[in-house]
Amino acid sequence: MPAFNANTKDMQFVLHEVLKASEQNIPGYDEMDADFTGAVLEEAGKIASEVLHPLNEVGDREGCQLENGVVRTPTGFKEAFDQMRHGGWTALDCDPAYGGQGLPYLMHTAVGEIMSASNMAFNMYPGLTHGAYSAIHAHGSDAQKQTFLPKMVTCEWTGTMNLTEPHCGTDLGLMRTRAEPQDDGSYKITGQKIFISAGDHDMADNIIHLVLAKISGAPEGIKGVSLFIVPKVLVNDDGSLGARNDLSVGKIEEKMGIHGNSTCVMNYDGATGYLLGEAHKGMRAMFTMMNEARIGVGLQGYAQSEVAYQNARAYALDRLQGRDVTGTKHPELAADPLIVHPDIRRNLMDQKSFVEGARAFAFWGANLIDRAHRNSDAEADGLISLMTPVIKGFLTDKGYEMTINAQQVYGGHGYIEEWGMSQFARDARIAMIYEGANGVQALDLVGRKLAQDGGKHVMGFFEMVKTFCKENESDEMAAFVEPLKKASKDLQAAGMYFMQAGMKNPNNALAGSYDFMHMMGHVCLGLMWARMARAAQDALANGAEDRDFYDAKLATARYYMARQLPATSMHLSRIETGADTLMALDAAHF
Amino acid sequence: MPAFNANTKDMQFVLHEVLKASEQNIPGYDEMDADFTGAVLEEAGKIASEVLHPLNEVGDREGCQLENGVVRTPTGFKEAFDQMRHGGWTALDCDPAYGGQGLPYLMHTAVGEIMSASNMAFNMYPGLTHGAYSAIHAHGSDAQKQTFLPKMVTCEWTGTMNLTEPHCGTDLGLMRTRAEPQDDGSYKITGQKIFISAGDHDMADNIIHLVLAKISGAPEGIKGVSLFIVPKVLVNDDGSLGARNDLSVGKIEEKMGIHGNSTCVMNYDGATGYLLGEAHKGMRAMFTMMNEARIGVGLQGYAQSEVAYQNARAYALDRLQGRDVTGTKHPELAADPLIVHPDIRRNLMDQKSFVEGARAFAFWGANLIDRAHRNSDAEADGLISLMTPVIKGFLTDKGYEMTINAQQVYGGHGYIEEWGMSQFARDARIAMIYEGANGVQALDLVGRKLAQDGGKHVMGFFEMVKTFCKENESDEMAAFVEPLKKASKDLQAAGMYFMQAGMKNPNNALAGSYDFMHMMGHVCLGLMWARMARAAQDALANGAEDRDFYDAKLATARYYMARQLPATSMHLSRIETGADTLMALDAAHF
C-alpha cells in the first residue's frame, strides 16, 4: 500500500548547491558532477522503488525463519539481493584494490538513504557487510584483506558484528566470550553473542563474523578485549570454501520490527577465529566499524521518516475530511483534503523540515569523513568524531518522532498494518537503541567528545557557525541567521555550564547530556537550514528555473527557525538545573 | 516476563491527601474513606496482577481470530472476563436501579487505571460496555433502559460504539450508513462501520452496538445523524434472546497492538435498530459516550506508562552495567546497576513525574465529573468539558513518549517481544489516535472549548491556579509555586495571542492548537504537582510515619518543576509565530 520515491531532486540540491561537492578539492570529488550523481541516484531510486520497497511489507509479514539450523529470509529477498550485488550497489565506495568502485563516502551515504528508506531491514545485510569490510580494510593483514575483502565488496560473503552478550551490552568489559590461542596462530572462540543482525541467512555463500572476545590471560575489563574474524565457513588457502566452522544460530529473536532482518543468538563452540588487528586492542578496531555504523544508523533514522513523510503527505492530499476553517477550498468535493487544516500542516512541516535538514546534516557528515580519510584532514576528523553521536542520537530520536507523526496523519488507518505506517514506526524504533542506545550517545558526546583534544572540535564548530553568520549578515538572511545565532548561544551557554558545574560534580554535566545532544542536533540542523536558505537565495538571484523548489526551501527554512529551533532554550533551562533533582531520590524510592 | 503491581499507595495519597475525597460534599463520597477505597484498590490490584496481567502477553501473541463468522478471543480471556464480571468490577459506578453499585466515577477511574495498566486490550471490552451503558442511561427510554442496562451492568451483554466508516472518521457528516423507518417504529440499518473495538467476541451472550446512521430524508451533514441501538441478537419482549440480527463481522483488522481486542469491520445489512434519543440528534447522544471514552483513553495513556515505568525501574535496579562516574557504588558486584547513571535517572524521573502527575490529573477530572453529575455543579461541568481534550490528548501523547522511554531503559532487550516493553509501546500508540486523534483534541480545545460560555471556564481555571498560588505563598512552597506561576503566565499569553491574532485569521489560533494542548497539560500537571507538594509538606509537618514516601513526592515535584514545566515557554514561542510559516507552502510543494 505505501509507496517510495527517492527524493533525488533534494539530494542533488544538497550535493551540488549546498555542499558544492564537485568543487571540493577531495580525491574522487571531481567526478561527482551533477550529471553523474543524478544518474547514480536515479538508478538507485529505481531499484529501491521497484524491487526493494515492494519487499518491505513482505519482509515484515514473513520475517526470517530458522529451519534445521539454517535461516530462511523472506520471499524475494535473495533475488533482490542478487540484483543489488550485480548492480554494484554494495561496492560503491569500496577500495578498487579489492573490486570496489572507489567513489566517495558521500555517494555511498546518498545511495544508502535511498536503500534504507525503501527497505530498512533488507539494507542491513549489505550495511553490516560494509562495516565489517571497513574494519578488515583498516586493521587486517594483507592476507586477511586478500582473502575476505573481494568477496565482501560484492556481498558474495556478508559480514556481521558480534559485541553484545546476554548480560552485557554497553559495558563490554564484562564480556565472557573467550579466545584460546592455537599452535597455528588461530584461536578457538567460545561464547554466546546476542542481537546479531544478519547473523545468518540464505543469501550469501559465507558470513564473516567479527567477534569480540577475550584471549585467555588478557587484562581485566575492556582493555582485555580483542577482535576476531570468524567465518561461518572456513576458507581454504586457495580461497575456496572448506569445512563449516563450529558456530551456530541459537535462535532468531522475535522483535518489534525489522522482521526482514535475522537477529540471531550466535553460539561459538570453539569456532576457529583469526585475530584482527592487535591483541587486546579489539575495541579500537571495532570502533572503526561502530563509528561508521552509528552514522549509518542516524541515516536510517531520518530515512524512515522520509518514506513515512512521503506517504503521510500523499494521504493528506488525498483524504477528504472537514472543511478549511477560513473558507471551503474544494466546493466540488464532499470535503476538503486534510492538508487544508493548520494542525495537519504543522505536523507535515515538522516532518518535512526535519527530513530535509537531516539529509543535509548526514551528507555534510559524510563529506567530513571523506575529507578526513581522503585528505587526512585532522579538523574534519575531529569534527565528525564530535558529530557522530549527534548524527546517531538526534537523527534517530527525531526520525522516530516524525515517523510517529506521519503515522498520526492517517488516523485509525495508521494503526492498521495494511497501510504500512505501523511498520515504518516499528522499524524506526530500533535505530534509537542499537549501535549504542541514545543515552550512551549523549554520554559519549558530553563525557568524551566535548573535551576531546582540549575542546578544540566543539570550539571549531562554534567558530564555523559564527563565521557563517558573519558572512551572511544581510537583510534577506536575517530570518535565518538571527535564530541560528540565538540557538548557538544557548548551546555555548550549556557547554559553559558543563565546564563550571561539571567541575564540581560530573553528574551536573551528565544529567544534561541528553538535552545537550538534542540542542546540538537543533543547532546543526539550524546551520544546515541557514546554508540551504543561502543556496536557495543564490539560486533565485541567479535566475534558477524551478523557482517553486527554492521558494519551498525558503519557506521550510523559515518554518524550522520559527517552530523547531526554539527548543534550544528549553533544553538549556533544563540543563542549568543541574543534577540535584535527578540524584535526590534514593534508588529504593523510585 | 514483565510484572504489574497496582500503585495503591499513590492512589490513596491522591484520593485522600490531595483530593480529600471523603471530606467533599458529594453524594456517595462520604463512604469513600481510606479503609474502603484501600480495600477496593487492593482487591482490584489482586485480580489485575494475578489474572489480567498474565493474559496481556497471551492476548498480544494470539490475537483474536474470526472463524466462521464468530470471533474467538485469546486463551483465558473468557474465564478472566467471567471472574471480573462476577466480582462486580464492571458495575462499580453504575446506577443501583439497574444493578450497579452506585459508587462515584472517581472510584471507577481509580480501578480503571489498574485494569487498564494490567491489560489494556482486555479492559476495552468492559470499557466500551460502560460507555454504551452511559449513553443508553442518559438518552434511552425507560423501556430501553429496562431491557438493556441490567445485562450491560453485569457485562452479560457488552457494548460497542460505531462511528467510523471507511471514507470518514473525524468528519462524520460524510457518513453513508442509512436507517429506514419501519412500521413498528424500529429501523433497518444498512452500511459498513470500521474500527469497531470489541465488535464481536465469545465472552458475552449479546453485544449491543450503538450505531450512528442517517434516517432517510434527514438533513445533510452532521445534523442529519441519529444514534441507534442495534443488538447482535434481538431481544424478545420478555427479555429473552431471539433471532440473530442482520449484521456480521466483515473482518478483524491486523493492528500494531491491542491484539487482544477484536477490532472489527461491521456490516449492517438491514439490521433492526432502535432510535436512541431524538432523531437527528445522534451526535449529542454519542458525545455522552465519547466524552467518557476520551477520559478513559487519557487514562489508558498514562496507565501504559505506569506499567512500563514499573518494569523499567525494576530493570534499572537489577541490570549491572558500567560504574557510577563519581565512584563505584557496588564494588562487590561486577558493575553498578543502571540506576547510578544520571541519564538513566533523567529518563526514569521523566516517567515517574509524569505518571504520578497524570494520575492526580485524571483523578481530579473524575472528581469534577462527580461534582457535575452528582451535585449538578455547572462550574465543574464547564471545567471538565475544557479539560477533556487535554486529558485525552496530553496524557496519551506523553504516556506514549514515556512508554517509549521505559522501553529505552532496556536497551536491545526493549526491542525483543519476550521482554514485554514492545507490547506496552505498541498498545499505547493507539491511545493517541482513537476517540478523536490528538490533533482533533487540540482543535476541540482551541477551536471550541476555550471560547465556550464566553471563555468562562478557562478563566475559571486561571483563577484557580492563581488562588492556589496566593494561598501557598510560603518559602517552602516557593519552589513549586513560582514555576507554576510562570507556566500559567505562558499559557495565558498564548490564550491572549489566540484572541488577538485569531481575530485576524483563525488559522493563527489553530496553528498553535497542538502546542497549546501540551502547554495546558503541563500547567495542569504543574498544578497537580504543586498540590501534591502541599499535601506532602502537610503530612510531614503532621508527623506522618512514612517520611520516605513524602520526601520522594517532594523530590519528584521538584523534578517536574525543573525539568518538565519549562516546556511551556517553548510552546509559547512556537505559538507566537502564528500561522504564516505553516500556510506558506502551496499544497503541491509539500
Side-chain angles (χ1 to χ4, degrees), chain A residues 167-460:
Chain A
H167 65 291
C168 71
T170 302
D171 189 354
L172 290 169
L174 303 174
M175 180 173 298
R176 291 184 191 140
T177 298
R178 297 281 148 192
E180 283 295 330
Q182 305 297 302
D183 292 343
D184 65 355
S186 72
Y187 292 79
K188 292 283 179 210
I189 312 290
T190 304
Q192 187 177 66
K193 295 286 182 176
I194 64 170
F195 304 156
I196 308 311
S197 298
D200 195 45
H201 57 84
D202 52 7
M203 304 192 296
D205 298 332
N206 202 1
I207 299 177
I208 311 306
H209 300 289
L210 297 194
V211 183
L212 285 178
K214 286 185 174 175
I215 299 171
S216 320
E220 278 298 297
I222 199 70
K223 289 181 178 158
V225 169
S226 304
L227 185 59
F228 297 88
I229 299 174
V230 188
K232 175 180 172 180
V233 184
L234 295 170
V235 182
N236 298 322
D237 287 345
D238 64 357
S240 63
L241 292 178
R244 271 293 302 258
N245 205 346
D246 294 315
L247 59 92
S248 60
V249 179
K251 69 166 176 171
I252 299 184
E253 303 283 6
E254 301 274 348
K255 307 184 298 291
M256 186 175 180
I258 51 166
H259 295 157
N261 199 276
S262 58
T263 305
C264 297
V265 172
M266 296 300 301
N267 294 321
Y268 296 91
D269 303 305
T272 298
Y274 311 99
L275 185 65
L276 178 60
E278 289 177 59
H280 319 319
K281 301 265 169 79
M283 288 311 291
R284 188 192 293 173
M286 191 50 108
F287 258 103
T288 304
M289 191 162 179
M290 259 160 58
N291 276 334
E292 181 184 307
R294 285 176 176 181
I295 291 168
V297 171
L299 185 145
Q300 288 180 330
Y302 84 81
Q304 283 305 293
S305 61
E306 162 71 26
V307 64
Y309 166 66
Q310 287 188 13
N311 285 280
R313 175 185 59 198
Y315 192 80
L317 289 166
D318 181 63
R319 174 87 168 173
L320 306 179
Q321 209 79 177
R323 288 295 187 189
D324 187 330
V325 71
T326 62
T328 293
K329 275 277 190 315
H330 294 275
E332 77 286 4
L333 300 174
D336 287 335
L338 284 179
I339 202 154
V340 304
H341 303 298
D343 188 63
I344 293 285
R345 283 176 165 258
R346 175 218 34 102
N347 184 339
L348 291 173
M349 288 301 292
D350 276 347
Q351 296 173 52
K352 181 178 170 66
S353 64
F354 166 71
V355 170
E356 294 177 14
R359 174 176 295 126
F361 186 27
F363 284 20
W364 177 55
N367 182 209
L368 289 175
I369 289 176
D370 282 327
R371 277 174 53 196
H373 291 179
R374 295 181 174 229
N375 285 358
S376 302
D377 179 334
E379 189 192 317
D381 194 52
L383 203 48
I384 189 60
S385 166
L386 174 72
M387 291 298 168
T388 297
V390 183
I391 291 174
K392 198 285 183 180
F394 182 71
L395 296 192
T396 61
D397 273 2
K398 280 281 164 187
Y400 182 69
E401 185 188 331
M402 295 305 149
T403 305
I404 291 294
N405 281 3
Q407 184 186 23
Q408 190 73 10
V409 173
Y410 278 70
H413 299 284
Y415 200 65
I416 307 295
E417 292 294 349
E418 76 178 282
W419 290 79
M421 303 305 283
S422 164
Q423 185 189 350
F424 297 143
R426 289 184 291 98
D427 286 358
R429 180 68 183 90
I430 189 59
M432 296 159 71
I433 298 174
Y434 63 15
E435 304 307 336
N438 285 355
V440 175
Q441 304 299 328
L443 179 65
D444 178 45
L445 176 64
V446 170
R448 251 166 42 94
K449 300 293 177 66
L450 280 189
Q452 210 170 35
D453 299 322
K456 195 166 80 177
H457 311 304
V458 71
M459 297 311 291

Side-chain angles (χ1 to χ4, degrees), chain B residues 178-230:
Chain B
R178 295 283 149 191
E180 282 297 329
Q182 305 297 302
D183 291 343
D184 64 355
S186 72
Y187 293 77
K188 292 283 180 209
I189 312 291
T190 304
Q192 187 178 66
K193 295 288 182 176
I194 63 170
F195 304 155
I196 309 309
S197 298
D200 195 45
H201 57 85
D202 52 7
M203 305 193 295
D205 298 332
N206 202 1
I207 299 176
I208 310 306
H209 300 288
L210 297 194
V211 182
L212 285 179
K214 286 184 174 175
I215 299 171
S216 320
E220 278 297 299
I222 198 69
K223 289 180 177 158
V225 169
S226 305
L227 185 59
F228 297 89
I229 300 173
V230 188

Side-chain angles (χ1 to χ4, degrees), chain A residues 459-471:
Chain A
M459 297 311 291
F461 174 67
F462 287 134
E463 204 51 47
M464 175 190 302
V465 173
K466 207 168 135 187
T467 304
F468 177 88
C469 291
K470 200 160 256 174
E471 288 172 358

Side-chain angles (χ1 to χ4, degrees), chain B residues 381-528:
Chain B
D381 195 52
L383 203 48
I384 189 60
S385 167
L386 174 71
M387 291 299 169
T388 297
V390 184
I391 291 174
K392 198 284 183 180
F394 182 71
L395 296 191
T396 60
D397 273 2
K398 280 280 165 188
Y400 182 68
E401 185 188 330
M402 295 305 150
T403 305
I404 291 295
N405 281 3
Q407 184 186 22
Q408 191 73 12
V409 172
Y410 278 70
H413 299 284
Y415 201 65
I416 307 296
E417 292 295 348
E418 74 178 285
W419 291 79
M421 303 305 284
S422 163
Q423 185 189 351
F424 297 144
R426 289 183 292 98
D427 286 358
R429 180 68 184 91
I430 189 58
M432 297 158 70
I433 298 173
Y434 63 14
E435 304 306 337
N438 285 355
V440 175
Q441 303 299 328
L443 178 65
D444 178 45
L445 176 64
V446 170
R448 250 165 42 92
K449 300 294 176 66
L450 280 189
Q452 209 170 35
D453 300 321
K456 196 167 79 177
H457 311 304
V458 71
M459 297 311 291
F461 173 67
F462 288 134
E463 203 53 44
M464 176 192 302
V465 174
K466 206 170 136 186
T467 305
F468 176 88
C469 292
K470 199 161 256 173
E471 288 171 0
N472 288 278
E473 274 182 340
S474 62
D475 283 353
E476 58 180 0
M477 281 296 288
F480 312 106
V481 163
E482 292 308 317
L484 175 59
K485 269 190 201 163
K486 161 78 177 67
S488 178
K489 216 177 114 193
D490 285 344
L491 187 68
Q492 290 181 61
M496 198 59 76
Y497 174 81
F498 286 163
M499 286 219 293
Q500 290 164 351
M503 208 86 89
K504 280 192 289 183
N505 183 342
N507 282 344
N508 282 325
L510 299 182
S513 58
Y514 213 89
D515 281 288
F516 190 85
M517 179 174 77
H518 272 254
M519 245 181 143
M520 186 140 171
H522 276 298
V523 173
C524 289
L525 259 60
L527 175 63
M528 293 302 126

